[in-house]
Amino acid sequence: GLYQVCMVFQCKTSKRVKFEEQDNEYYTIRALKQPEPGDLATMQMWKQHRESILKGLQNCGLSLYCYYSRDRDQILVKIGASAQKLRDTAARKRYKLQLKKEYLSAYAEFRHD
């Protein structure tokens, strides 16, 4: 499906702090420091909120594509829906589509044909 919306979630209080990174050479080179206790609690709260929101979007049948920002302090989420999901939702909601000018630009209810 096509991704139509992008959400950005802050995941770290600073790009210089460590939060759930693996202990490997890449992160050692970057010399990430341990977060302050208050910052750690904030980042854990952000993670819970983010996971709750993303699970809700997935449960609605939306497609998600998540990736880190360059500095790994934000998570970008592309959100989309398949064409079939959009058709089903339009039919269920009785979405009004604007018709072509030859039909005087009137509105008609979407239906599966």
Side-chain angles (χ1 to χ4, degrees):
L2 295 173
Y3 296 98
Q4 301 293 331
V5 177
C6 183
M7 293 178 77
V8 179
F9 294 95
Q10 195 70 30
C11 65
K12 295 191 339 182
T13 54
S14 165
K15 65 182 179 181
R16 292 176 174 67
V17 299
K18 185 175 184 173
F19 181 66
E20 297 189 340
E21 279 90 359
Q22 304 299 314
D23 287 324
N24 65 25
E25 187 177 328
Y26 174 73
Y27 298 110
T28 306
I29 290 170
R30 287 182 57 203
L32 297 176
K33 64 180 184 170
Q34 293 299 322
E36 299 293 324
D39 289 344
L40 182 59
T42 297
M43 292 185 292
Q44 288 170 334
M45 181 187 66
W46 287 346
K47 180 182 178 183
Q48 288 176 341
H49 287 171
R50 179 177 64 250
E51 289 176 349
S52 174
I53 291 168
L54 297 180
K55 182 56 82 179
L57 293 171
Q58 281 181 320
N59 289 342
C60 291
L62 296 174
S63 302
L64 305 178
Y65 178 71
C66 305
Y67 55 98
Y68 285 106
S69 64
R70 180 194 66 190
D71 294 327
R72 297 182 65 87
D73 60 340
Q74 295 176 322
I75 295 176
L76 291 85
V77 183
K78 290 182 178 181
I79 304 167
S82 67
Q84 186 61 49
K85 176 69 176 169
L86 294 174
R87 283 191 293 271
D88 292 345
T89 302
R92 188 178 73 251
K93 301 285 283 177
R94 296 183 173 165
Y95 185 77
K96 304 282 187 209
L97 295 173
Q98 188 169 14
L99 302 175
K100 295 178 183 176
K101 291 196 186 303
E102 63 193 75
Y103 300 109
L104 304 176
S105 298
Y107 286 85
E109 192 175 294
F110 178 86
R111 292 199 180 143
H112 286 291
D113 290 335

